């Protein structure tokens, strides 16, 4: 399934932008991390941000979700300017965010975690719950179990499931493969691919650059808070400089 | 330190002492005495009815302490700081409640007397039911208003500050509140109730109407808190916030609104606890909440800091230990027994009885 997604990128990039970031300056308090970042995610696209530690990859994602100090530039989502809004507002636009750490409520049951994902709705959307359970059958089995007792892979699924409860147009995933056993990493990427195939745009930050770039439509290489390279995932993987400098040869 | 309690000698000593107490208790109930080297070592006499009376006394005190502890534990787990003003919230709620009850009750007192609680109008649950209920509601409402105003003025501007800063701020709030109360109502003790009627339930348990009120209202509210936390969206969101505030925010949970609701629920329970303690004890004084705070903190710590069910259980435990200790100790020393139990629990189980499970 990964080959399909990597070959469809040429057409995808021409689609009207769902998320469009221009000249973004952003950081935390006084500390500026991002410097003039541009980034586009088309409707239904699969975009990965890779780069060395401390490059500001996660900061891009947090900026989109209103978790940083906005310092300049624009973030347009689905035609509306969202820069500087708070997460409680942004989630209503159709963006969901899965943080890297602490992305579940450990003392709540699996089902309650999912219910909290749909907090902004008046009632729990049982149909969405079913879709999430179809996508992650293990969560259905464990629905009355405390989330803190789930395994690492199951927690990651629960975190994504929680984010999918609102049927977002754009899913932000911060290092979904971090801390997973090697044999689970490919499975996790398969699942993300399936979510994307179902029509949800995915913006992904990854340490595991090779895996991420081989799956995505488009990749950004971020270095020291600036975009250094942008191309299809496949091209970036084959690019000699990118390989040497950022993918370990 | 953590491994300290797991060391055998301690545990053995504690277990041995507990066994000794149990043996002694059984001998006392049987009315037999055990002599070692000619001196009475164990046993004595204790009527079974006396034992049940001690336990029930403990449950009554524990219920009020538990209610107040739930309020404290809720703000601890969801807002992440130990609120030292909690004791004075109890006092504040009780004064508001009893003043309201005094204003409503019929009788010959003038308005100043009523407002300042300056003479005992002898309220009872059965004699003046409307005034008592109005007072109860006013105590809850008054404490809610008090907590919200103080949250807005003091705690909200420093929401992102660390726990220690908030704790120190809360000590300031406690002092201001206590002496404002002293300024209005003076520092003397006010008697507010008359001797309540005794009521026998199930044919065997005889308690005053005020003790029954405390038991029933306390029990209902504890079940209510359980239902709120487990079966409502708001309660789940409160637990979610206690678990992971950042994730709650990115899930779209309105963090400020849930915080406000936490103060409302916690404040309401605290006010009711204060009001009922006065109903049961019969007198009210400007610092009674403050003097209870140590006991309430013990309940919270015994149950496991941040665990709301732990706070309920901790309150009951402390109440029962406090009264059961009367079997062996003079009444002045029962508080010491409570803290001894607290220390032992913390040595054996540093996270508290329900520790690590937070609100669940």
């Amino acid at each position: 399934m990964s080959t399909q997604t990597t070959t469809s990128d040429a057409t995808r990039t021409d689609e009207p932008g769902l998320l469009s970031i221009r000249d973004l300056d952003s950081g935390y308090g006084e500390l500026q991390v991002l410097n003039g970042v541009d980034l586009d995610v088309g409707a239904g696209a699969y975009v990965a941000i890779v780069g060395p530690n401390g490059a500001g990859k996660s900061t891009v994602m947090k900026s989109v979700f209103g978790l940083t100090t906005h310092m300049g530039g624009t973030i347009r989502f689905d035609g509306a300017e969202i820069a500087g809004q708070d997460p409680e507002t942004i989630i209503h636009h159709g963006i969901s965010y899965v943080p890297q750490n602490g992305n579940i409520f450990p003392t709540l049951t699996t089902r309650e975690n999912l219910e909290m994902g749909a907090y902004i709705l008046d009632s729990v959307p049982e149909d969405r719950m079913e879709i999430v359970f179809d996508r992650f059958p293990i969560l259905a089995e464990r629905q009355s179990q405390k989330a803190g007792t789930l395994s690492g892979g199951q927690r990651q699924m629960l975190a994504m499931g929680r984010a999918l409860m609102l049927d977002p147009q754009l899913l932000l995933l911060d290092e979904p493969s971090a801390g997973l056993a090697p044999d689970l990493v490919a499975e996790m990427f398969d699942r993300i691919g399936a979510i994307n195939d179902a029509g949800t745009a995915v913006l992904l930050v990854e340490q595991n650059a090779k895996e991420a770039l081989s799956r995505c439509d488009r990749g950004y290489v971020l270095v020291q808070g600036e975009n250094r390279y942008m191309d299809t995932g496949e091209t970036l993987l084959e690019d000699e400089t990118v390989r040497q400098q950022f993918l370990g040869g | 330190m953590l491994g300290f309690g797991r060391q055998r000698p301690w545990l053995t000593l504690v277990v041995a002492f507990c066994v000794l107490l149990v043996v002694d208790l059984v001998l006392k109930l049987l009315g037999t005495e055990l002599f070692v080297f000619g001196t009475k070592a164990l046993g004595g006499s204790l009527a079974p009815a006396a034992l049940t009376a001690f336990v029930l006394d403990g449950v009554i005190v524990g219920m009020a302490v538990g209610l107040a502890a739930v309020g404290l534990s809720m703000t601890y787990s969801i807002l992440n700081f130990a609120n030292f003003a909690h004791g004075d919230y109890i006092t504040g709620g009780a004064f508001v409640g009893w003043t309201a009850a005094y204003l409503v009750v019929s009788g010959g007192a003038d308005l100043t007397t009523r407002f300042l609680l300056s003479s005992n109008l002898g309220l009872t649950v059965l004699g003046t039911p409307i005034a008592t209920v109005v007072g109860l509601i006013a105590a809850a409402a008054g404490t809610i208003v008090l907590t919200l105003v103080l949250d807005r003025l003091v705690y909200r501007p420093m929401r992102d500050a660390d726990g220690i800063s908030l704790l120190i701020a809360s000590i300031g709030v406690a002092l201001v509140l206590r002496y404002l109360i002293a300024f209005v109502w003076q520092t003397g003790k006010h008697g507010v109730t008359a001797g309540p009627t005794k009521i026998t339930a199930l044919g065997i348990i005889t308690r005053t109407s005020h003790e029954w009120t405390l038991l029933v209202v306390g029990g209902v509210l504890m079940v209510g808190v359980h239902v709120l936390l487990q079966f409502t969206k708001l309660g789940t969101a409160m637990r979610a916030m206690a678990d992971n505030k950042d994730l709650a925010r990115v899930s779209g949970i309105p963090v400020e609104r849930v915080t406000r609701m936490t103060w409302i629920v916690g404040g309401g329970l605290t006010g009711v606890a204060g009001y009922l303690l006065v109903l049961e004890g019969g007198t009210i004084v400007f610092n009674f909440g403050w003097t209870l705070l140590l006991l309430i903190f013990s309940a919270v710590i015994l149950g496991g800091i941040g665990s709301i069910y732990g706070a309920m259980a901790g309150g009951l435990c402390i109440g029962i230990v406090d009264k059961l200790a009367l079997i062996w100790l003079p009444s002045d020393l029962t508080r010491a027994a409570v803290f001894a139990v607290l220390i032992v629990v913390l040595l054996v189980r540093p996270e508290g009885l329900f520790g690590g499970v937070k609100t669940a």
Side-chain angles (χ1 to χ4, degrees):
Chain A
M1 55 132 292
S2 59
T3 48
Q4 281 176 341
T5 45
T6 47
T7 49
S8 60
D9 47 49
T11 48
R12 290 252 177 118
T13 50
D14 294 325
E15 282 174 19
L18 178 65
L19 175 74
S20 167
I21 300 176
R22 289 292 171 272
D23 206 20
L24 178 67
D25 295 341
S26 178
Y28 307 94
E30 295 289 298
L31 176 73
Q32 184 172 349
V33 178
L34 300 181
N35 202 344
V37 168
D38 295 336
L39 185 140
D40 285 278
V41 181
Y46 188 165
V47 175
I49 306 173
V50 299
N53 274 333
K57 303 187 294 290
S58 296
T59 307
V60 175
M61 197 159 271
K62 287 179 182 164
S63 302
V64 173
F65 210 67
L67 295 166
T68 57
T69 313
H70 183 69
M71 297 169 178
T74 59
I75 305 173
R76 293 186 74 77
F77 181 77
D78 207 13
E81 177 65 36
I82 59 165
Q85 294 184 348
D86 57 27
E88 283 169 34
T89 314
I90 290 171
I91 200 166
H92 284 89
H93 289 288
I95 305 179
S96 286
Y97 167 63
V98 181
Q100 182 189 347
N101 297 313
N103 51 24
I104 58 160
F105 300 111
T107 72
L108 270 57
T109 65
T110 298
R111 191 181 179 84
E112 285 170 340
N113 265 270
L114 295 175
E115 285 172 3
M116 287 298 102
Y119 187 90
I120 64 169
L121 303 180
D122 289 334
S123 60
V124 178
E126 291 299 332
D127 53 332
R128 284 303 299 171
M129 187 84 80
E130 284 312 311
I131 291 171
V132 170
F133 283 153
D134 281 348
R135 194 165 289 295
F136 307 110
I138 187 76
L139 297 184
E141 279 174 42
R142 301 282 157 90
Q143 52 177 302
S144 49
Q145 196 173 320
K146 290 252 156 61
T149 65
L150 299 177
S151 72
Q154 289 164 359
R155 283 173 189 225
Q156 195 61 46
M157 286 185 235
L158 178 57
M160 285 201 264
R162 182 194 54 76
L164 288 173
M165 284 299 288
L166 291 175
D167 195 11
Q169 284 180 274
L170 174 64
L171 183 61
L172 305 173
L173 297 174
D174 198 347
E175 308 232 6
S177 78
L180 291 187
D183 52 327
L184 287 177
V185 172
E187 192 192 324
M188 187 55 63
F189 276 101
D190 286 347
R191 291 181 188 281
I192 295 166
I195 292 168
N196 179 242
D197 289 342
T200 308
V202 173
L203 177 61
L204 178 87
V205 161
E206 257 303 325
Q207 286 286 340
N208 195 333
K210 279 183 186 167
E211 190 75 42
L213 289 177
S214 70
R215 306 269 189 154
C216 69
D217 303 336
R218 200 183 343 193
Y220 288 82
V221 181
L222 205 66
V223 184
Q224 290 177 343
E226 296 175 16
N227 297 102
R228 204 53 69 81
Y229 304 93
M230 184 277 285
D231 215 318
T232 63
E234 210 165 55
T235 318
L236 287 174
L237 272 179
E238 284 162 7
D239 186 288
E240 203 50 42
T241 334
V242 173
R243 283 171 67 100
Q244 290 292 334
Q245 289 188 6
F246 309 114
L247 304 178
Chain B
M1 265 315 281
L2 285 177
F4 191 55
R6 299 212 172 78
Q7 283 176 20
R8 286 272 162 231
W10 265 104
L11 206 57
T12 321
L13 205 67
V14 168
V15 171
F17 187 68
C18 289
V19 169
L20 200 68
L21 284 182
V22 171
V23 169
D24 185 51
L25 185 62
V26 171
L27 288 174
K28 277 188 164 78
L29 286 173
L30 294 173
T32 41
E33 295 179 350
L34 199 71
F35 289 88
V36 179
F37 302 122
T39 39
K40 194 182 90 171
L42 290 174
S45 70
L46 178 74
L51 180 66
T52 31
F54 281 138
V55 172
L56 205 60
D57 280 347
V59 171
I60 290 164
V61 173
M63 197 69 102
V65 172
L67 271 188
V70 168
L72 182 64
S73 199
M74 279 184 105
T75 48
Y76 183 91
S77 68
I78 295 166
L79 304 171
N80 240 334
F81 81 101
N83 183 13
F84 269 74
H86 194 76
D88 299 287
Y89 286 8
I90 295 175
T91 321
F95 268 104
V96 170
W98 283 100
T99 304
Y102 260 49
L103 291 174
V104 179
V105 75
S106 56
D110 60 47
L111 202 62
T112 322
T113 309
R114 287 164 183 268
F115 189 78
L116 298 177
L117 306 177
S118 44
S119 75
N120 190 344
L121 296 188
L123 273 63
T124 56
V125 169
L126 298 177
T128 52
I130 295 171
T132 316
V133 172
V134 167
L136 184 77
I137 295 165
T143 318
I144 289 169
V145 171
L146 187 68
T147 53
L148 289 180
V149 167
L150 287 169
D151 183 52
R152 187 67 197 82
L153 288 179
V154 183
Y155 302 123
R156 191 163 153 195
M158 50 190 302
R159 190 76 83 215
D160 296 322
D162 62 305
I164 295 297
S165 307
L166 285 162
L167 184 152
I168 290 168
S170 78
I171 294 175
V173 170
L175 288 168
V176 170
L177 209 52
R178 196 174 317 145
Y179 289 100
L180 273 178
I181 292 170
F183 182 73
V184 177
W185 283 285
Q186 309 301 311
T187 52
K189 234 179 203 180
H190 308 269
V192 289
T193 63
T197 335
K198 297 212 178 233
I199 300 173
T200 306
L202 308 169
I204 39 164
I205 309 165
T206 304
R207 289 280 143 180
T208 72
S209 57
H210 292 177
E211 288 169 327
W212 282 116
T213 309
L214 203 162
L215 276 175
V216 171
V217 175
V220 166
L221 287 178
M222 282 189 180
V223 171
V225 169
H226 169 70
V227 170
L228 169 77
L229 285 176
Q230 293 301 327
F231 303 109
T232 70
K233 188 174 171 181
L234 175 68
T236 316
M238 285 176 168
R239 287 186 289 131
M241 260 184 72
D243 255 12
N244 189 336
K245 202 168 173 177
D246 291 333
L247 187 63
R249 184 173 275 124
V250 304
S251 298
I253 295 173
V255 171
E256 266 307 316
R257 211 169 74 209
V258 176
T259 302
R260 205 156 52 236
M261 288 309 295
T262 307
W263 279 117
I264 289 176
V265 175
L269 292 172
T270 306
V272 168
Y275 184 83
L276 291 176
L277 277 164
V278 173
L279 179 74
E280 196 251 343
T283 58
I284 185 167
V285 66
F286 81 108
N287 63 355
F288 88 95
W290 169 247
T291 54
L292 269 179
L293 189 64
L294 195 57
L295 215 54
I296 294 165
F297 263 117
S298 310
V300 169
I301 293 166
L302 186 69
I305 291 179
S307 161
I308 287 163
Y309 295 112
M312 294 182 191
L316 287 172
C317 250
I318 276 180
I320 292 169
V321 169
D322 189 46
K323 296 299 176 189
L324 271 187
L326 285 169
I327 297 174
W328 295 279
L329 295 171
S331 61
D332 289 348
L333 282 177
T334 58
R335 284 284 159 90
V338 168
F339 295 119
V341 168
L342 178 66
I343 289 167
V344 167
V345 168
L346 289 181
L347 283 174
V348 177
R349 212 178 132 76
E351 66 275 28
L353 297 174
F354 289 72
V357 288
K358 289 216 167 174
T359 48

